């Protein structure tokens, strides 16, 4: 996790990454994601070039290449997510939201797009929209861990719904398996103490 560490609520979190988990959280991961798609006919060279730009940390150049890519391949939903991710890192929220809308027009239940949408809405202070996006991501794919994590933090630190936060953190850890987060284990223990049960199964909101 990177960013400025500061106290929020009952624990310290790291902004922005720790409260916005996404499977494409850094340039290397996104570059690998692009390389994984190079086998697609007519798209391999373009995706490979994008991967190189991202590995070099050239967001501006990568954004331009992605913009050209989506014009050439307007039916490629994942490209809109990747472009939205770059715009998000550049703090171009309106542009990121437009790209996510285009992705969701093609694939209305894409959990990665819905997760990114929740991240942007949470930062804007629109907690209802963030919750709705993450609940939709979970409904689309109950095994998608990042939406469970982000909802847990939303319920814990912003909406003060501790039982729902506990349920979502526990589910995130279960889905993460060997990659579970030791910090989240501490948060779970803290919530169990605060709720007054060791352990207590929470009833998640809206599920």
């Amino acid at each position: 996790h990177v960013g400025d560490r500061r106290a929020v609520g009952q624990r310290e979190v790291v902004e922005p990454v720790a409260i916005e988990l996404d499977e494409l959280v850094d340039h290397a991961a996104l570059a690998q994601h692009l390389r994984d798609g190079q086998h697609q006919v007519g798209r391999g060279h373009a995706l490979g070039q994008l991967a190189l730009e991202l590995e070099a940390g050239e967001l501006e150049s990568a954004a331009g290449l992605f913009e050209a890519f989506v014009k050439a391949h307007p039916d490629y939903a994942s490209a809109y997510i990747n472009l939205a991710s770059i715009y998000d890192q550049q703090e171009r929220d309106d542009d990121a939201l437009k790209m996510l809308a285009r992705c969701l027009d093609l694939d209305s239940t894409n959990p990665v797009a819905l997760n990114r949408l929740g991240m942007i809405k949470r930062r804007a202070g629109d907690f209802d929209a963030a919750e709705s996006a993450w609940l939709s991501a979970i409904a689309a794919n109950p095994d998608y861990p990042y939406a469970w994590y982000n909802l847990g933090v939303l319920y814990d630190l912003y909406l003060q719904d501790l039982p729902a936060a506990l349920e979502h953190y526990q589910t995130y850890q279960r889905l993460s398996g060997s990659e579970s987060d030791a910090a989240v284990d501490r948060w779970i223990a803290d919530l169990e103490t605060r709720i007054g049960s060791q352990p207590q199964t929470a009833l998640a909101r809206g599920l």
Side-chain angles (χ1 to χ4, degrees):
H1 297 317
V2 296
D4 295 328
R5 193 171 183 83
R6 64 188 181 90
V8 179
Q10 296 298 313
R11 65 178 53 85
E12 286 189 336
V13 298
V14 181
E15 293 278 5
V17 176
I19 60 171
E20 296 172 349
L21 272 191
D22 183 28
E23 65 182 349
L24 300 178
V25 294
D26 58 38
H27 302 161
L30 181 51
Q32 183 60 53
H33 177 74
L34 291 169
R35 283 195 296 273
D36 290 344
Q38 287 187 59
H39 67 280
Q40 300 179 69
V41 175
R43 295 169 176 163
H45 176 73
L47 291 174
Q49 182 62 35
L50 286 165
L52 291 174
E53 293 293 338
L54 286 165
E55 284 184 326
E58 297 293 339
L59 284 184
E60 193 67 36
S61 178
L65 289 171
F66 261 119
E67 289 162 356
F69 184 89
V70 296
K71 287 181 181 178
H73 306 283
D75 61 339
Y76 192 54
S78 295
Y80 293 109
I81 301 173
N82 295 333
L83 185 52
S85 177
I86 292 172
Y87 286 158
D88 193 8
Q89 293 178 69
Q90 295 176 320
E91 300 182 351
R92 297 168 59 182
D93 287 358
D94 289 344
D95 291 329
L97 290 171
K98 289 177 183 177
M99 293 302 101
L100 292 174
R102 292 186 184 179
C103 173
L104 292 170
D105 283 343
L106 295 169
D107 181 4
S108 62
T109 60
N110 188 302
V112 182
L114 290 166
N115 187 53
R116 176 67 62 174
L117 177 62
M119 290 158 54
I120 295 172
K121 292 297 185 180
R122 201 288 306 163
R123 288 203 310 274
D126 190 345
F127 300 148
D128 287 343
E131 179 186 34
S132 178
W134 286 322
L135 287 173
S136 295
I138 288 172
N141 182 358
D143 294 328
Y144 183 72
Y146 306 102
W148 288 96
Y149 176 100
N150 286 325
L151 266 173
V153 174
L154 182 72
Y155 292 143
D156 186 3
L157 300 182
Y158 297 92
L159 300 182
Q160 302 298 304
D161 187 337
L162 302 189
L166 175 59
E167 175 71 10
H168 285 75
Y169 287 151
Q170 289 173 328
T171 303
Y172 167 74
Q173 292 292 73
R174 176 176 58 78
L175 293 173
S176 298
S178 62
E179 297 182 359
S180 60
D181 191 328
V184 178
D185 281 335
R186 294 192 295 272
W187 300 348
I188 288 171
D190 174 54
L191 284 171
E192 288 172 345
T193 299
R194 292 161 65 195
I195 291 169
S197 175
Q198 296 283 341
Q200 172 174 330
T201 300
L203 296 177
R205 294 168 27 147
L207 296 180

